[in-house]
PDB file of all heavy atoms in Angstrom:
ATOM      1  N   GLU A 467      85.128 113.654  98.885  1.00  0.00           N
ATOM      2  CA  GLU A 467      86.035 114.372  99.661  1.00  0.00           C
ATOM      3  C   GLU A 467      86.913 113.475 100.607  1.00  0.00           C
ATOM      4  O   GLU A 467      87.621 114.020 101.384  1.00  0.00           O
ATOM      5  CB  GLU A 467      85.308 115.302 100.553  1.00  0.00           C
ATOM      6  CG  GLU A 467      84.431 116.343  99.634  1.00  0.00           C
ATOM      7  CD  GLU A 467      85.272 117.337  98.870  1.00  0.00           C
ATOM      8  OE1 GLU A 467      86.209 117.977  99.516  1.00  0.00           O
ATOM      9  OE2 GLU A 467      85.273 117.444  97.679  1.00  0.00           O
ATOM     10  N   SER A 468      86.811 112.209 100.550  1.00  0.00           N
ATOM     11  CA  SER A 468      87.359 111.336 101.551  1.00  0.00           C
ATOM     12  C   SER A 468      89.008 111.462 101.534  1.00  0.00           C
ATOM     13  O   SER A 468      89.604 111.190 102.516  1.00  0.00           O
ATOM     14  CB  SER A 468      87.061 109.813 101.349  1.00  0.00           C
ATOM     15  OG  SER A 468      87.433 109.384 100.053  1.00  0.00           O
ATOM     16  N   GLY A 469      89.561 111.771 100.371  1.00  0.00           N
ATOM     17  CA  GLY A 469      90.977 111.872 100.291  1.00  0.00           C
ATOM     18  C   GLY A 469      91.595 113.100 101.120  1.00  0.00           C
ATOM     19  O   GLY A 469      92.715 113.091 101.374  1.00  0.00           O
ATOM     20  N   LYS A 470      90.713 113.959 101.501  1.00  0.00           N
ATOM     21  CA  LYS A 470      91.176 115.129 102.299  1.00  0.00           C
ATOM     22  C   LYS A 470      90.977 114.878 103.788  1.00  0.00           C
ATOM     23  O   LYS A 470      91.325 115.708 104.606  1.00  0.00           O
ATOM     24  CB  LYS A 470      90.347 116.334 101.844  1.00  0.00           C
ATOM     25  CG  LYS A 470      90.698 116.770 100.436  1.00  0.00           C
ATOM     26  CD  LYS A 470      90.125 118.203 100.099  1.00  0.00           C
ATOM     27  CE  LYS A 470      88.567 118.254 100.074  1.00  0.00           C
ATOM     28  NZ  LYS A 470      88.101 119.561  99.731  1.00  0.00           N
ATOM     29  N   ARG A 471      90.545 113.663 104.195  1.00  0.00           N
ATOM     30  CA  ARG A 471      90.196 113.378 105.575  1.00  0.00           C
ATOM     31  C   ARG A 471      91.465 113.465 106.412  1.00  0.00           C
ATOM     32  O   ARG A 471      92.498 112.836 106.107  1.00  0.00           O
ATOM     33  CB  ARG A 471      89.531 112.064 105.707  1.00  0.00           C
ATOM     34  CG  ARG A 471      89.247 111.674 107.204  1.00  0.00           C
ATOM     35  CD  ARG A 471      88.230 110.492 107.314  1.00  0.00           C
ATOM     36  NE  ARG A 471      88.869 109.344 106.788  1.00  0.00           N
ATOM     37  CZ  ARG A 471      89.407 108.417 107.519  1.00  0.00           C
ATOM     38  NH1 ARG A 471      89.749 108.700 108.876  1.00  0.00           N
ATOM     39  NH2 ARG A 471      89.984 107.269 107.008  1.00  0.00           N
ATOM     40  N   PHE A 472      91.491 114.153 107.601  1.00  0.00           N
ATOM     41  CA  PHE A 472      92.679 114.256 108.413  1.00  0.00           C
ATOM     42  C   PHE A 472      92.720 112.994 109.361  1.00  0.00           C
ATOM     43  O   PHE A 472      91.669 112.539 109.916  1.00  0.00           O
ATOM     44  CB  PHE A 472      92.703 115.443 109.347  1.00  0.00           C
ATOM     45  CG  PHE A 472      93.649 115.479 110.285  1.00  0.00           C
ATOM     46  CD1 PHE A 472      94.915 115.893 109.923  1.00  0.00           C
ATOM     47  CD2 PHE A 472      93.509 115.081 111.726  1.00  0.00           C
ATOM     48  CE1 PHE A 472      96.021 115.980 110.914  1.00  0.00           C
ATOM     49  CE2 PHE A 472      94.485 115.176 112.592  1.00  0.00           C
ATOM     50  CZ  PHE A 472      95.877 115.599 112.161  1.00  0.00           C
ATOM     51  N   ILE A 473      93.887 112.410 109.401  1.00  0.00           N
ATOM     52  CA  ILE A 473      94.132 111.202 110.355  1.00  0.00           C
ATOM     53  C   ILE A 473      95.192 111.552 111.149  1.00  0.00           C
ATOM     54  O   ILE A 473      96.293 111.892 110.723  1.00  0.00           O
ATOM     55  CB  ILE A 473      94.435 109.960 109.392  1.00  0.00           C
ATOM     56  CG1 ILE A 473      93.205 109.672 108.466  1.00  0.00           C
ATOM     57  CG2 ILE A 473      94.743 108.745 110.347  1.00  0.00           C
ATOM     58  CD1 ILE A 473      93.613 108.565 107.511  1.00  0.00           C
ATOM     59  N   ASN A 474      94.982 111.473 112.528  1.00  0.00           N
ATOM     60  CA  ASN A 474      95.932 111.802 113.485  1.00  0.00           C
ATOM     61  C   ASN A 474      97.175 110.852 113.259  1.00  0.00           C
ATOM     62  O   ASN A 474      97.041 109.641 113.383  1.00  0.00           O
ATOM     63  CB  ASN A 474      95.406 111.732 114.875  1.00  0.00           C
ATOM     64  CG  ASN A 474      96.261 112.492 115.845  1.00  0.00           C
ATOM     65  OD1 ASN A 474      97.457 112.383 115.865  1.00  0.00           O
ATOM     66  ND2 ASN A 474      95.479 113.177 116.766  1.00  0.00           N
ATOM     67  N   PRO A 475      98.411 111.373 113.216  1.00  0.00           N
ATOM     68  CA  PRO A 475      99.518 110.570 113.022  1.00  0.00           C
ATOM     69  C   PRO A 475      99.830 109.573 114.060  1.00  0.00           C
ATOM     70  O   PRO A 475     100.524 108.468 113.782  1.00  0.00           O
ATOM     71  CB  PRO A 475     100.746 111.564 112.902  1.00  0.00           C
ATOM     72  CG  PRO A 475     100.128 112.908 112.624  1.00  0.00           C
ATOM     73  CD  PRO A 475      98.746 112.820 113.237  1.00  0.00           C
ATOM     74  N   ASP A 476      99.427 109.821 115.291  1.00  0.00           N
ATOM     75  CA  ASP A 476      99.684 108.802 116.341  1.00  0.00           C
ATOM     76  C   ASP A 476      98.685 107.772 116.522  1.00  0.00           C
ATOM     77  O   ASP A 476      98.726 107.121 117.631  1.00  0.00           O
ATOM     78  CB  ASP A 476      99.950 109.578 117.703  1.00  0.00           C
ATOM     79  CG  ASP A 476      98.878 110.329 118.197  1.00  0.00           C
ATOM     80  OD1 ASP A 476      97.908 110.452 117.471  1.00  0.00           O
ATOM     81  OD2 ASP A 476      98.875 110.757 119.380  1.00  0.00           O
ATOM     82  N   THR A 477      97.880 107.526 115.504  1.00  0.00           N
ATOM     83  CA  THR A 477      96.798 106.526 115.599  1.00  0.00           C
ATOM     84  C   THR A 477      97.199 105.220 114.758  1.00  0.00           C
ATOM     85  O   THR A 477      98.051 105.390 113.941  1.00  0.00           O
ATOM     86  CB  THR A 477      95.464 107.012 115.072  1.00  0.00           C
ATOM     87  OG1 THR A 477      95.656 107.332 113.724  1.00  0.00           O
ATOM     88  CG2 THR A 477      95.008 108.275 115.911  1.00  0.00           C
ATOM     89  N   ASP A 478      96.651 104.141 115.127  1.00  0.00           N
ATOM     90  CA  ASP A 478      96.934 102.950 114.485  1.00  0.00           C
ATOM     91  C   ASP A 478      96.498 103.051 112.961  1.00  0.00           C
ATOM     92  O   ASP A 478      97.135 102.462 112.051  1.00  0.00           O
ATOM     93  CB  ASP A 478      96.232 101.731 115.068  1.00  0.00           C
ATOM     94  CG  ASP A 478      96.881 101.347 116.376  1.00  0.00           C
ATOM     95  OD1 ASP A 478      98.002 101.625 116.613  1.00  0.00           O
ATOM     96  OD2 ASP A 478      96.210 100.665 117.197  1.00  0.00           O
ATOM     97  N   GLU A 479      95.426 103.796 112.737  1.00  0.00           N
ATOM     98  CA  GLU A 479      94.999 103.986 111.304  1.00  0.00           C
ATOM     99  C   GLU A 479      95.991 104.594 110.414  1.00  0.00           C
ATOM    100  O   GLU A 479      96.175 104.102 109.311  1.00  0.00           O
ATOM    101  CB  GLU A 479      93.672 104.744 111.272  1.00  0.00           C
ATOM    102  CG  GLU A 479      93.086 104.842 109.888  1.00  0.00           C
ATOM    103  CD  GLU A 479      91.799 105.759 109.841  1.00  0.00           C
ATOM    104  OE1 GLU A 479      91.614 106.481 110.798  1.00  0.00           O
ATOM    105  OE2 GLU A 479      91.177 105.716 108.848  1.00  0.00           O
ATOM    106  N   PHE A 480      96.762 105.576 110.922  1.00  0.00           N
ATOM    107  CA  PHE A 480      97.797 106.196 110.102  1.00  0.00           C
ATOM    108  C   PHE A 480      98.792 105.145 109.679  1.00  0.00           C
ATOM    109  O   PHE A 480      99.181 105.110 108.444  1.00  0.00           O
ATOM    110  CB  PHE A 480      98.384 107.187 111.026  1.00  0.00           C
ATOM    111  CG  PHE A 480      99.384 108.187 110.233  1.00  0.00           C
ATOM    112  CD1 PHE A 480      98.924 109.435 109.776  1.00  0.00           C
ATOM    113  CD2 PHE A 480     100.732 107.841 110.095  1.00  0.00           C
ATOM    114  CE1 PHE A 480      99.820 110.249 109.095  1.00  0.00           C
ATOM    115  CE2 PHE A 480     101.585 108.691 109.459  1.00  0.00           C
ATOM    116  CZ  PHE A 480     101.068 109.952 108.870  1.00  0.00           C
ATOM    117  N   SER A 481      99.266 104.407 110.574  1.00  0.00           N
ATOM    118  CA  SER A 481     100.301 103.299 110.266  1.00  0.00           C
ATOM    119  C   SER A 481      99.724 102.208 109.346  1.00  0.00           C
ATOM    120  O   SER A 481     100.311 101.758 108.475  1.00  0.00           O
ATOM    121  CB  SER A 481     100.933 102.807 111.532  1.00  0.00           C
ATOM    122  OG  SER A 481     101.866 101.798 111.359  1.00  0.00           O
ATOM    123  N   ASP A 482      98.439 101.800 109.671  1.00  0.00           N
ATOM    124  CA  ASP A 482      97.834 100.681 108.974  1.00  0.00           C
ATOM    125  C   ASP A 482      97.664 101.059 107.515  1.00  0.00           C
ATOM    126  O   ASP A 482      97.852 100.235 106.562  1.00  0.00           O
ATOM    127  CB  ASP A 482      96.580 100.368 109.638  1.00  0.00           C
ATOM    128  CG  ASP A 482      96.699  99.613 111.018  1.00  0.00           C
ATOM    129  OD1 ASP A 482      97.847  99.250 111.290  1.00  0.00           O
ATOM    130  OD2 ASP A 482      95.649  99.570 111.710  1.00  0.00           O
ATOM    131  N   LEU A 483      97.215 102.246 107.200  1.00  0.00           N
ATOM    132  CA  LEU A 483      97.029 102.674 105.830  1.00  0.00           C
ATOM    133  C   LEU A 483      98.265 102.638 105.029  1.00  0.00           C
ATOM    134  O   LEU A 483      98.342 102.187 103.863  1.00  0.00           O
ATOM    135  CB  LEU A 483      96.394 104.075 105.805  1.00  0.00           C
ATOM    136  CG  LEU A 483      94.928 104.175 106.132  1.00  0.00           C
ATOM    137  CD1 LEU A 483      94.508 105.599 106.286  1.00  0.00           C
ATOM    138  CD2 LEU A 483      94.049 103.489 105.140  1.00  0.00           C
ATOM    139  N   LEU A 484      99.424 103.067 105.690  1.00  0.00           N
ATOM    140  CA  LEU A 484     100.720 102.963 105.055  1.00  0.00           C
ATOM    141  C   LEU A 484     101.191 101.545 104.788  1.00  0.00           C
ATOM    142  O   LEU A 484     101.825 101.227 103.749  1.00  0.00           O
ATOM    143  CB  LEU A 484     101.758 103.807 105.808  1.00  0.00           C
ATOM    144  CG  LEU A 484     101.481 105.357 105.830  1.00  0.00           C
ATOM    145  CD1 LEU A 484     102.471 105.969 106.806  1.00  0.00           C
ATOM    146  CD2 LEU A 484     101.589 105.976 104.434  1.00  0.00           C
ATOM    147  N   TYR A 485     100.900 100.700 105.764  1.00  0.00           N
ATOM    148  CA  TYR A 485     101.262  99.315 105.718  1.00  0.00           C
ATOM    149  C   TYR A 485     100.614  98.669 104.468  1.00  0.00           C
ATOM    150  O   TYR A 485     101.114  97.989 103.646  1.00  0.00           O
ATOM    151  CB  TYR A 485     100.889  98.576 107.019  1.00  0.00           C
ATOM    152  CG  TYR A 485     101.006  97.106 106.824  1.00  0.00           C
ATOM    153  CD1 TYR A 485     102.240  96.404 106.907  1.00  0.00           C
ATOM    154  CD2 TYR A 485      99.790  96.342 106.873  1.00  0.00           C
ATOM    155  CE1 TYR A 485     102.336  95.021 106.780  1.00  0.00           C
ATOM    156  CE2 TYR A 485      99.921  94.954 106.771  1.00  0.00           C
ATOM    157  CZ  TYR A 485     101.064  94.303 106.684  1.00  0.00           C
ATOM    158  OH  TYR A 485     101.223  92.966 106.670  1.00  0.00           O
ATOM    159  N   GLU A 486      99.223  98.971 104.407  1.00  0.00           N
ATOM    160  CA  GLU A 486      98.411  98.323 103.367  1.00  0.00           C
ATOM    161  C   GLU A 486      98.930  98.783 102.039  1.00  0.00           C
ATOM    162  O   GLU A 486      98.997  97.904 101.111  1.00  0.00           O
ATOM    163  CB  GLU A 486      96.910  98.627 103.555  1.00  0.00           C
ATOM    164  CG  GLU A 486      96.355  97.982 104.808  1.00  0.00           C
ATOM    165  CD  GLU A 486      95.030  98.512 105.136  1.00  0.00           C
ATOM    166  OE1 GLU A 486      94.441  99.364 104.375  1.00  0.00           O
ATOM    167  OE2 GLU A 486      94.494  98.136 106.258  1.00  0.00           O
ATOM    168  N   SER A 487      99.090 100.074 101.784  1.00  0.00           N
ATOM    169  CA  SER A 487      99.471 100.556 100.467  1.00  0.00           C
ATOM    170  C   SER A 487     100.916 100.096 100.095  1.00  0.00           C
ATOM    171  O   SER A 487     101.120  99.780  99.064  1.00  0.00           O
ATOM    172  CB  SER A 487      99.476 102.054 100.526  1.00  0.00           C
ATOM    173  OG  SER A 487     100.388 102.644 101.378  1.00  0.00           O
ATOM    174  N   THR A 488     101.788  99.962 101.008  1.00  0.00           N
ATOM    175  CA  THR A 488     103.215  99.483 100.862  1.00  0.00           C
ATOM    176  C   THR A 488     103.203  98.053 100.383  1.00  0.00           C
ATOM    177  O   THR A 488     103.734  97.647  99.420  1.00  0.00           O
ATOM    178  CB  THR A 488     104.025  99.749 102.023  1.00  0.00           C
ATOM    179  OG1 THR A 488     104.118 101.177 102.327  1.00  0.00           O
ATOM    180  CG2 THR A 488     105.526  99.243 101.801  1.00  0.00           C
ATOM    181  N   LEU A 489     102.535  97.174 101.216  1.00  0.00           N
ATOM    182  CA  LEU A 489     102.468  95.797 100.944  1.00  0.00           C
ATOM    183  C   LEU A 489     101.821  95.443  99.515  1.00  0.00           C
ATOM    184  O   LEU A 489     102.201  94.552  98.789  1.00  0.00           O
ATOM    185  CB  LEU A 489     101.883  94.998 101.928  1.00  0.00           C
ATOM    186  CG  LEU A 489     102.751  94.434 103.134  1.00  0.00           C
ATOM    187  CD1 LEU A 489     103.610  93.386 102.603  1.00  0.00           C
ATOM    188  CD2 LEU A 489     103.669  95.575 103.737  1.00  0.00           C
ATOM    189  N   THR A 490     100.735  96.238  99.261  1.00  0.00           N
ATOM    190  CA  THR A 490     100.101  96.084  97.963  1.00  0.00           C
ATOM    191  C   THR A 490     101.020  96.446  96.790  1.00  0.00           C
ATOM    192  O   THR A 490     101.056  95.644  95.782  1.00  0.00           O
ATOM    193  CB  THR A 490      98.786  97.005  97.879  1.00  0.00           C
ATOM    194  OG1 THR A 490      97.911  96.603  98.880  1.00  0.00           O
ATOM    195  CG2 THR A 490      98.092  96.855  96.593  1.00  0.00           C
ATOM    196  N   ARG A 491     101.723  97.490  96.889  1.00  0.00           N
ATOM    197  CA  ARG A 491     102.619  97.884  95.858  1.00  0.00           C
ATOM    198  C   ARG A 491     103.710  96.858  95.740  1.00  0.00           C
ATOM    199  O   ARG A 491     104.203  96.534  94.633  1.00  0.00           O
ATOM    200  CB  ARG A 491     103.174  99.309  96.122  1.00  0.00           C
ATOM    201  CG  ARG A 491     102.187 100.361  95.927  1.00  0.00           C
ATOM    202  CD  ARG A 491     102.611 101.699  96.596  1.00  0.00           C
ATOM    203  NE  ARG A 491     103.804 102.197  95.884  1.00  0.00           N
ATOM    204  CZ  ARG A 491     104.853 102.714  96.474  1.00  0.00           C
ATOM    205  NH1 ARG A 491     104.843 102.777  97.895  1.00  0.00           N
ATOM    206  NH2 ARG A 491     105.869 103.086  95.802  1.00  0.00           N
ATOM    207  N   MET A 492     104.312  96.393  96.814  1.00  0.00           N
ATOM    208  CA  MET A 492     105.365  95.431  96.745  1.00  0.00           C
ATOM    209  C   MET A 492     104.959  94.069  96.096  1.00  0.00           C
ATOM    210  O   MET A 492     105.652  93.528  95.410  1.00  0.00           O
ATOM    211  CB  MET A 492     105.856  95.092  98.194  1.00  0.00           C
ATOM    212  CG  MET A 492     106.566  96.335  98.941  1.00  0.00           C
ATOM    213  SD  MET A 492     107.200  96.027 100.532  1.00  0.00           S
ATOM    214  CE  MET A 492     108.617  94.924 100.119  1.00  0.00           C
ATOM    215  N   GLU A 493     103.676  93.662  96.472  1.00  0.00           N
ATOM    216  CA  GLU A 493     103.124  92.505  95.836  1.00  0.00           C
ATOM    217  C   GLU A 493     102.955  92.635  94.390  1.00  0.00           C
ATOM    218  O   GLU A 493     103.276  91.748  93.508  1.00  0.00           O
ATOM    219  CB  GLU A 493     101.883  92.053  96.528  1.00  0.00           C
ATOM    220  CG  GLU A 493     101.340  90.697  96.028  1.00  0.00           C
ATOM    221  CD  GLU A 493     100.121  90.309  96.897  1.00  0.00           C
ATOM    222  OE1 GLU A 493      99.476  91.194  97.401  1.00  0.00           O
ATOM    223  OE2 GLU A 493      99.883  89.038  96.987  1.00  0.00           O
ATOM    224  N   LYS A 494     102.366  93.717  93.884  1.00  0.00           N
ATOM    225  CA  LYS A 494     102.238  93.992  92.466  1.00  0.00           C
ATOM    226  C   LYS A 494     103.486  94.126  91.710  1.00  0.00           C
ATOM    227  O   LYS A 494     103.546  93.833  90.491  1.00  0.00           O
ATOM    228  CB  LYS A 494     101.451  95.276  92.282  1.00  0.00           C
ATOM    229  CG  LYS A 494      99.870  95.214  92.762  1.00  0.00           C
ATOM    230  CD  LYS A 494      99.162  96.459  92.407  1.00  0.00           C
ATOM    231  CE  LYS A 494      97.681  96.422  92.692  1.00  0.00           C
ATOM    232  NZ  LYS A 494      96.936  97.652  92.447  1.00  0.00           N
ATOM    233  N   SER A 495     104.563  94.469  92.377  1.00  0.00           N
ATOM    234  CA  SER A 495     105.916  94.700  91.645  1.00  0.00           C
ATOM    235  C   SER A 495     106.407  93.306  91.181  1.00  0.00           C
ATOM    236  O   SER A 495     107.126  93.258  90.204  1.00  0.00           O
ATOM    237  CB  SER A 495     106.922  95.225  92.623  1.00  0.00           C
ATOM    238  OG  SER A 495     107.340  94.282  93.619  1.00  0.00           O
ATOM    239  N   GLY A 496     106.012  92.209  91.835  1.00  0.00           N
ATOM    240  CA  GLY A 496     106.598  90.946  91.474  1.00  0.00           C
ATOM    241  C   GLY A 496     107.971  90.642  91.842  1.00  0.00           C
ATOM    242  O   GLY A 496     108.602  89.634  91.357  1.00  0.00           O
ATOM    243  N   TRP A 497     108.553  91.473  92.652  1.00  0.00           N
ATOM    244  CA  TRP A 497     109.976  91.364  92.942  1.00  0.00           C
ATOM    245  C   TRP A 497     110.187  90.474  94.118  1.00  0.00           C
ATOM    246  O   TRP A 497     111.365  90.124  94.506  1.00  0.00           O
ATOM    247  CB  TRP A 497     110.506  92.819  93.271  1.00  0.00           C
ATOM    248  CG  TRP A 497     110.387  93.739  92.164  1.00  0.00           C
ATOM    249  CD1 TRP A 497     110.301  93.456  90.918  1.00  0.00           C
ATOM    250  CD2 TRP A 497     110.432  95.165  92.369  1.00  0.00           C
ATOM    251  NE1 TRP A 497     110.203  94.697  90.185  1.00  0.00           N
ATOM    252  CE2 TRP A 497     110.233  95.699  90.966  1.00  0.00           C
ATOM    253  CE3 TRP A 497     110.520  96.035  93.393  1.00  0.00           C
ATOM    254  CZ2 TRP A 497     110.210  97.054  90.705  1.00  0.00           C
ATOM    255  CZ3 TRP A 497     110.401  97.446  93.128  1.00  0.00           C
ATOM    256  CH2 TRP A 497     110.326  97.925  91.891  1.00  0.00           C
ATOM    257  N   TYR A 498     109.115  90.015  94.842  1.00  0.00           N
ATOM    258  CA  TYR A 498     109.340  89.327  96.076  1.00  0.00           C
ATOM    259  C   TYR A 498     108.517  87.964  96.008  1.00  0.00           C
ATOM    260  O   TYR A 498     107.427  87.890  95.346  1.00  0.00           O
ATOM    261  CB  TYR A 498     108.914  90.175  97.251  1.00  0.00           C
ATOM    262  CG  TYR A 498     109.411  91.487  97.309  1.00  0.00           C
ATOM    263  CD1 TYR A 498     108.773  92.648  96.709  1.00  0.00           C
ATOM    264  CD2 TYR A 498     110.677  91.730  97.917  1.00  0.00           C
ATOM    265  CE1 TYR A 498     109.379  93.838  96.750  1.00  0.00           C
ATOM    266  CE2 TYR A 498     111.279  92.934  97.911  1.00  0.00           C
ATOM    267  CZ  TYR A 498     110.567  94.099  97.336  1.00  0.00           C
ATOM    268  OH  TYR A 498     111.121  95.320  97.397  1.00  0.00           O
ATOM    269  N   THR A 499     109.088  86.917  96.620  1.00  0.00           N
ATOM    270  CA  THR A 499     108.421  85.647  96.624  1.00  0.00           C
ATOM    271  C   THR A 499     107.216  85.695  97.625  1.00  0.00           C
ATOM    272  O   THR A 499     107.171  86.641  98.570  1.00  0.00           O
ATOM    273  CB  THR A 499     109.402  84.600  97.098  1.00  0.00           C
ATOM    274  OG1 THR A 499     109.810  84.750  98.520  1.00  0.00           O
ATOM    275  CG2 THR A 499     110.609  84.565  96.141  1.00  0.00           C
ATOM    276  N   GLN A 500     106.442  84.749  97.569  1.00  0.00           N
ATOM    277  CA  GLN A 500     105.244  84.601  98.541  1.00  0.00           C
ATOM    278  C   GLN A 500     105.683  84.494  99.937  1.00  0.00           C
ATOM    279  O   GLN A 500     105.215  85.242 100.823  1.00  0.00           O
ATOM    280  CB  GLN A 500     104.284  83.487  98.139  1.00  0.00           C
ATOM    281  CG  GLN A 500     103.003  83.423  98.991  1.00  0.00           C
ATOM    282  CD  GLN A 500     102.176  84.667  98.867  1.00  0.00           C
ATOM    283  OE1 GLN A 500     102.073  85.251  97.730  1.00  0.00           O
ATOM    284  NE2 GLN A 500     101.570  85.156  99.918  1.00  0.00           N
ATOM    285  N   GLU A 501     106.851  83.803 100.188  1.00  0.00           N
ATOM    286  CA  GLU A 501     107.414  83.563 101.414  1.00  0.00           C
ATOM    287  C   GLU A 501     107.888  84.936 101.985  1.00  0.00           C
ATOM    288  O   GLU A 501     107.763  85.254 103.191  1.00  0.00           O
ATOM    289  CB  GLU A 501     108.551  82.574 101.480  1.00  0.00           C
ATOM    290  CG  GLU A 501     108.117  81.085 101.181  1.00  0.00           C
ATOM    291  CD  GLU A 501     107.750  80.938  99.711  1.00  0.00           C
ATOM    292  OE1 GLU A 501     108.032  81.690  98.870  1.00  0.00           O
ATOM    293  OE2 GLU A 501     107.026  79.899  99.436  1.00  0.00           O
ATOM    294  N   GLN A 502     108.494  85.731 101.114  1.00  0.00           N
ATOM    295  CA  GLN A 502     109.070  87.006 101.600  1.00  0.00           C
ATOM    296  C   GLN A 502     107.782  87.936 101.917  1.00  0.00           C
ATOM    297  O   GLN A 502     107.921  88.635 102.935  1.00  0.00           O
ATOM    298  CB  GLN A 502     109.892  87.700 100.503  1.00  0.00           C
ATOM    299  CG  GLN A 502     111.227  87.115 100.220  1.00  0.00           C
ATOM    300  CD  GLN A 502     111.996  87.868  99.182  1.00  0.00           C
ATOM    301  OE1 GLN A 502     111.545  87.804  97.947  1.00  0.00           O
ATOM    302  NE2 GLN A 502     113.055  88.419  99.511  1.00  0.00           N
TER     303      GLN A 502
END
């Protein structure tokens, strides 16, 4: 049931989860150099 957990939008966790998923997808795309 963890996918249904509520996370308050004004917490660091809310932003951190979006950061992690975005950077993971960007890295997997292969469109950016390691320096980028």
Side-chain angles (χ1 to χ4, degrees):
E467 298 291 307
S468 62
K470 297 191 290 185
R471 181 167 66 92
F472 175 78
I473 299 173
N474 200 316
D476 62 352
T477 62
D478 288 339
E479 185 181 13
F480 190 95
S481 181
D482 289 346
L483 286 169
L484 293 173
Y485 170 74
E486 291 168 7
S487 64
T488 299
L489 269 290
T490 297
R491 292 166 60 222
M492 293 181 72
E493 186 174 25
K494 286 183 177 179
S495 73
W497 302 336
Y498 308 94
T499 66
Q500 186 61 36
E501 290 76 17
Q502 285 179 300

